[in-house]
Amino acid sequence: MDKGLHFKFCVITTMLLLRESSQTGEKNDPKNAGCGTDSRGPEEGLPTLTVTTILEDPYVMVRSAELEGYCIDLLKALAAALRFRYKVKVVGDGQYGAVSSSGNWTGMIGEILRQEADIAVAPLTVTSAREEVVSFTTPFLQTGIGILLRKDTVSQEMSFFHFLSPFSKETWTGLLFAYVLTCFCLFLVARLSPCEWNEPKNEENHFTFLNSLWFGAGALALQGVTPRPKALSVRVIAAVWWLFTIALLAAYIANFTALLSSGSEQLPIQTFEDLVKQRNLEFGTLDGSSTFYFFKNSKNPIHQMIYEYMDKRRDHVLVKTYQEAVQRVMESNYAFIGESISQDLAAARHCNLIRAPEVIGARGFGIATTQASPWTKKLSIAVLRLRESGDLDYLRNKWWETSCLHKSRDRWSPLQPQALGGLFLTLSIGLALGVIAAVVELSNKSRHAAGHVKKSCCSIFTEEMCACLRIKENTRQSQETSGRANA
């Protein structure tokens, strides 16, 4: 009896040791990572899923013989929410999934179809072709197609009118209109105000329209010019114009400094059309990726030209991995077309890289499962809950935060009229107050004059206004009359 118990004890001990060693081997193998939950205790009966993925920074990376990254953290969160165990394996051929010449699917999609894996958790783009053979969950990341460039390969000399770049065309048009309107109001108020012009019939007003234009231009240069305003109404307009010009110059200097430091205006390649027209840079994408087939199936003429270029030179411009693409952009005259979210990470980690502004083909990364799999809906609901709770945003910030992010400058853009809306509103209010003050000053004078000549205030006000607006003609007539009398 004792021998039987001893024999059973030895067998059980041997089985436990073999099981522990096999689990340790799986954990140390980066292509076959260990399960996501503890194998002991009440979780022994949980279902186990085989997960296929692909090595791509920052989604899945090998560090210290273990896998980590955005997708690994996402997988852990899903396993905790849905209570399942998982075993991670890296895709054998290193491909995402496309139809080969033999008609079979490669990459992670092929492994799911061959039932070598239950799900694929990776930066796998949801496409119609893939949706026909596998099922996708709700996308956990949104992205598009962008152009990754090296800054020194796309820089160009500044244009002759580069000094106009801090403001948009609409802003310059608004500033010109504000300048002319202010000078006209200054000219009009100076003529209407009796404090500025005591005797319109005998005195010549110094604020002619040309002098008003010169006065406004002098304020733009922060220089005091003559004539100097005397009336309160004219001083109100002059003061509000001075405040407007000070704030305007401050905005111009700040935006021009940001323009010179960012160098974003030195990007001649802003769109995919610009990429096709130039001849200095080669461009390509990942071989067999969804980006390549996006251009192949697109009816857009520009996209067709890009596909034909890449298809004819596929051995030279198509790359095998994302790391190879980034390295080629950094070392040669090459532009990489790929996922914009991955390009943002590359531009953040390598400060000499930049992504062109245009992004096309909005798409998402989803988890692939077999068709009619019960896990598809469960995983979709879990992804939505992680998004609603902010966990997906936390993972995004965690794995996209690098040492280069704080050094990279924000993308510069010309100052739009909306940014100066409050400034224009303040100027318009000041002009209105100046005109109202001039009318009040003229009506006060008309009221006093009406009391002396026994006429209505309205008639005197009308005569005074006509005299103010026709003073130049009256002055010339008086000058001609005096000249004849002297002759």
Side-chain angles (χ1 to χ4, degrees), residues 351-427:
C351 297
N352 62 331
L353 299 182
I354 188 172
R355 179 176 62 82
E358 185 181 34
V359 176
I360 62 174
R363 52 182 62 189
F365 292 154
I367 300 174
T369 65
T370 57
Q371 287 187 332
S373 172
W375 289 100
T376 307
K377 186 174 181 180
K378 296 179 180 179
L379 291 170
S380 294
I381 296 175
V383 168
L384 290 174
R385 288 176 178 172
L386 292 175
R387 179 178 298 167
E388 293 170 356
S389 63
D391 291 341
L392 292 183
D393 293 333
Y394 168 76
L395 293 180
R396 172 73 164 79
N397 296 331
K398 173 185 176 181
W399 290 104
W400 266 253
E401 182 181 4
T402 63
S403 58
C404 190
L405 279 176
H406 70 278
K407 299 177 183 178
S408 61
R409 303 180 180 93
D410 296 334
R411 197 175 299 277
W412 177 91
S413 60
L415 201 61
Q416 299 296 327
Q418 294 81 359
L420 300 175
L423 199 58
F424 282 103
L425 179 62
T426 304
L427 178 63

Side-chain angles (χ1 to χ4, degrees), residues 163-228:
F163 68 95
L164 297 176
S165 301
F167 292 158
S168 64
K169 295 179 181 179
E170 294 80 6
T171 305
W172 283 117
T173 304
L175 293 178
L176 179 61
F177 177 77
Y179 168 70
V180 175
L181 179 62
T182 302
C183 294
F184 176 77
C185 289
L186 195 66
F187 162 74
L188 178 64
V189 168
R191 280 183 171 270
L192 293 178
S193 175
C195 300
E196 187 71 35
W197 203 6
N198 293 324
E199 297 183 6
K201 296 182 179 180
N202 301 322
E203 183 182 358
E204 185 174 357
N205 193 294
H206 296 291
F207 273 98
T208 62
F209 187 68
L210 290 179
N211 287 344
S212 299
L213 290 174
W214 180 245
F215 184 89
L220 283 173
L222 299 180
Q223 299 292 324
V225 294
T226 55
R228 296 180 180 178

